[in-house]
Amino acid sequence: QQVLGETPVEALAHATGIAAQIARRPDLGLLEEGRKANIVAFSGDLTQSLDGLEHVVQVWKNGKAYK
């Protein structure tokens, strides 16, 4: 499935890490040991379809679970 000419993987990369690079925020957009992270888990396989973005399963902010 393509969204605006991009695969789901490309769209997610542009919305996260690449956007952080463009904004010159090297502290954002990467999930690595030792970094602070806000994470959202979605249902489904987002590498195949972005439809799962409508179904949030879990949210973590600063290491604390919210949903």
Side-chain angles (χ1 to χ4, degrees):
Q1 175 187 3
Q2 289 212 339
V3 178
L4 299 175
E6 294 184 322
T7 67
V9 172
E10 291 168 334
L12 290 171
H14 286 127
T16 56
I18 293 172
Q21 290 175 359
I22 291 169
R24 297 183 182 177
R25 292 290 309 267
D27 56 315
L28 302 176
L30 295 174
L31 184 59
E32 293 179 334
E33 184 177 346
R35 288 181 172 259
K36 290 185 178 180
N38 299 327
I39 304 169
V40 181
F42 301 95
S43 66
D45 182 353
L46 296 181
T47 66
Q48 300 301 311
S49 170
L50 297 180
D51 293 338
L53 291 173
E54 297 178 11
H55 306 284
V56 175
V57 175
Q58 183 73 52
V59 177
W60 295 269
K61 183 173 181 176
N62 296 323
K64 181 179 177 187
Y66 285 88
K67 179 179 179 185

